[in-house]
Amino acid sequence: MHLPDKTIERLSQYRRNLLISLSKGKTHIFSHEIAELLHITPVQVRRDIMLIGYNGTLRKGYDVKALIDLIGNIIDTEEGQNVCVMGLGNLGKAIIKYLCGKRPKLKIVACFDTNKEKTGRLYADIPVFDAEELTEKVKTMNIAIGIITVPFERASETANRLVNAGITGILNFSSKPLNLPGHVYLEEYDMITSLEKVAYHTKEK
Amino acid sequence: MHLPDKTIERLSQYRRNLLISLSKGKTHIFSHEIAELLHITPVQVRRDIMLIGYNGTLRKGYDVKALIDLIGNIIDTEEGQNVCVMGLGNLGKAIIKYLCGKRPKLKIVACFDTNKEKTGRLYADIPVFDAEELTEKVKTMNIAIGIITVPFERASETANRLVNAGITGILNFSSKPLNLPGHVYLEEYDMITSLEKVAYHTKEK
DNA sequence: TTTATATTGTTATTTATTTAACAATTAATT
DNA sequence: AATTAATTGTTAAATAAATAACAATATAAA
Ligand SMILES: NC(=O)c1ccc[n+]([C@@H]2O[C@H](COP(=O)([O-])OP(=O)(O)OC[C@H]3O[C@@H](n4cnc5c(N)ncnc54)[C@H](O)[C@@H]3O)[C@@H](O)[C@H]2O)c1
Ligand SMILES: NC(=O)c1ccc[n+]([C@@H]2O[C@H](COP(=O)([O-])OP(=O)(O)OC[C@H]3O[C@@H](n4cnc5c(N)ncnc54)[C@H](O)[C@@H]3O)[C@@H](O)[C@H]2O)c1
């Protein structure tokens, strides 16, 4: 089953907001209610839900719990995937603190740095290893995903290291465009570009 | 002139990479060279450049300096736009340190927090004010853009505060979907969604 | 000078995504 | 029991974005 990227993004957001609804005791929800939560259209919601093959109940809406579980089945693996952070700088630290415990199926289990002063200890309960140890730790700790928060100039070598170590999913914050083999999924996030986009639109208004 | 959002994003990236090329002494560049830098196709580059009305020289390529300046004219205002950060937490701090001095036309000039222990001092040379002072400071410091790095539960009220203070461009990191009046441009970045996208694709491969 | 090659600018085509339309039908109401 | 209103699931249409195609032509090579 092929799902559009945009649908995946929205599924992630549906789930997060559905969990909030569930915790408030809501058992069923209509497409227009989900749409309101995310400020999109009900049609879009229904279409996304159709694409993942879920069926709501006519005039009762969608079963919140069941929908959450199904989205979980699509996004996550059963056992979950382990994540590592490359570069314990300002951003790396913020991400570790933020993500810790937030997503049980996406656990940050290790961090890697080249600065000897940072390695060999814990940061927010996460072990910080020397980047040399990457390949070994990826294997022993069963790490599937890497987050790149090293400086621009170190991003390419870090990405190659991750790929060589067997990582197949990368989230890159370094703003350095990376060219990776086809079997590795790469998601780039460029904060300067986001901010410049805001600048452009703010100017235009 | 209307420019697609995706084109704006790429223009931002073209400029960043062109500045590097320029600093290496390159005066002219071909569409396929720009494409290589970003790992996209030359056609895409040419089309984007066409859309902004720039003309290269046949068989000589684009004048690097002139292209940088033109992109600057599109993205930035002449005097630049001032930016504030809402919430001096882990992420807010990282962003301030990262952005300081990086983009002369997008200066972070102030930060706002509600925690009295954080306000009334400088962080990385940026003054930290009480959030109550927002409206006043937006006026006196001529702030046009706000970056939201407050907790999820505080995001909506913070956005409203920004809008009431006269801000017309917002970059939101809180993962809380915001519903703002049409005259305000909103860019949302949701890190969990990015990571879950990686998780999905990593699982699928 | 002539020819060949490389490169731009732009239109046409394809692909991806969103939005609209609406039939089917269930639950609530009369 | 019949009627009404609301909501889903899905196909069709519209919009947006990326890619392909190619004519025009400047430069380099013959
Ligand atoms: N700070 C932010 O808010 C922010 C925002 C957007 C993007 N970024 C990007 O994220 C990256 C990191 O930013 P930062 O502010 O945290 O920088 P930083 O300098 O604070 O941290 C970089 C860390 O990477 C480590 N490092 C260097 N080379 C390494 C290598 N080869 N392997 C492993 N670790 C290595 C350094 O020792 C340091 O701890 C940069 O590329 C930056 O462009 C940062
Ligand atoms: N840390 C990360 O890497 C990260 C990544 C992605 C998204 N986020 C999002 O960014 C936001 C901040 O994350 P964080 O880790 O920096 O959190 P944090 O708790 O470290 O910081 C939040 C800051 O906001 C301040 N604050 C609270 N209410 C406020 C208000 N009404 N006005 C102004 N300031 C206020 C707090 O005093 C605190 O300093 C959250 O919404 C989080 O979801 C964080």
Side-chain angles (χ1 to χ4, degrees), chain A residues 36-202:
Chain A
E36 247 164 63
L37 293 174
L38 275 81
H39 310 121
I40 59 176
T41 67
V43 183
Q44 182 112 80
V45 174
R46 291 207 300 280
R47 211 171 193 296
D48 286 335
I49 290 177
M50 181 194 81
L51 289 176
I52 64 176
Y54 182 73
N55 278 276
T57 313
L58 204 37
R59 306 245 6 197
K60 269 180 79 183
Y62 303 98
D63 182 304
V64 177
K65 183 71 175 51
L67 190 48
I68 288 171
D69 288 347
L70 179 55
I71 295 175
N73 288 342
I74 288 168
I75 292 177
D76 295 315
T77 63
E78 203 163 334
E79 339 73 60
Q81 298 184 87
N82 289 333
V83 179
C84 70
V85 170
M86 304 301 293
L88 187 67
N90 295 306
L91 184 60
K93 285 180 187 170
I95 289 176
I96 288 172
K97 282 212 177 141
Y98 173 62
L99 244 42
C100 262
K102 189 146 290 185
R103 287 280 294 98
K105 299 259 164 135
L106 286 173
K107 251 193 223 132
I108 297 189
V109 295
C111 177
F112 297 87
D113 207 297
T114 45
N115 183 338
K116 300 286 180 205
E117 286 175 21
K118 301 192 173 188
T119 58
R121 58 187 189 86
L122 296 178
Y123 180 80
D125 293 328
I126 305 297
V128 185
F129 300 115
D130 191 289
E132 297 292 334
E133 299 178 69
L134 182 67
T135 302
E136 181 212 324
K137 296 297 178 190
V138 164
K139 208 166 289 173
T140 59
M141 302 183 89
N142 188 29
I143 300 172
I145 292 170
I147 299 179
I148 297 182
T149 54
V150 302
F152 185 89
E153 308 77 31
R154 297 278 150 265
S156 297
E157 72 181 58
T158 299
N160 291 337
R161 256 195 184 135
L162 285 168
V163 172
N164 291 335
I167 291 284
T168 53
I170 292 179
L171 175 51
N172 176 32
F173 284 97
S174 75
S175 302
K176 170 81 191 180
L178 300 176
N179 194 16
L180 301 180
H183 73 280
V184 178
Y185 179 81
L186 172 65
E187 174 82 18
E188 312 241 18
Y189 179 63
D190 188 327
M191 194 180 294
I192 295 276
T193 290
S194 288
L195 189 59
E196 292 191 338
K197 217 167 138 191
V198 177
Y200 167 79
H201 285 285
T202 305

Side-chain angles (χ1 to χ4, degrees), chain B residues 22-88:
Chain B
L22 187 68
S23 76
K24 286 179 183 162
K26 211 163 166 57
T27 60
H28 288 78
I29 195 165
F30 295 124
S31 62
H32 66 261
E33 291 177 300
I34 298 180
E36 248 164 64
L37 292 172
L38 274 83
H39 310 122
I40 58 175
T41 65
V43 183
Q44 182 112 81
V45 174
R46 292 207 299 278
R47 213 172 189 298
D48 287 334
I49 290 177
M50 181 193 82
L51 289 175
I52 63 175
Y54 181 73
N55 278 278
T57 313
L58 202 39
R59 305 240 11 189
K60 268 179 80 182
Y62 304 99
D63 183 305
V64 177
K65 182 71 174 50
L67 190 48
I68 289 171
D69 289 347
L70 178 56
I71 295 175
N73 287 341
I74 288 168
I75 293 177
D76 295 316
T77 63
E78 204 162 334
E79 339 71 61
Q81 297 183 88
N82 288 333
V83 179
C84 70
V85 170
M86 304 300 294
L88 187 67

Side-chain angles (χ1 to χ4, degrees), chain A residues 94-95 98, chain B residues 89-91 113-114 118 149-150 152 157 173-174 191:
Chain A
I95 289 176
Y98 173 62
Chain B
N90 295 307
L91 185 59
D113 207 295
T114 44
K118 299 192 174 190
T149 54
V150 302
F152 185 90
E157 73 181 56
F173 283 96
S174 76
M191 195 178 294

Side-chain angles (χ1 to χ4, degrees), chain B residues 117-143:
Chain B
E117 286 175 23
K118 299 192 174 190
T119 58
R121 58 184 190 87
L122 296 179
Y123 180 80
D125 293 330
I126 305 296
V128 184
F129 300 116
D130 191 289
E132 297 291 334
E133 299 179 70
L134 183 68
T135 302
E136 180 212 325
K137 295 297 179 188
V138 163
K139 207 166 287 172
T140 58
M141 301 182 90
N142 189 30
I143 300 173

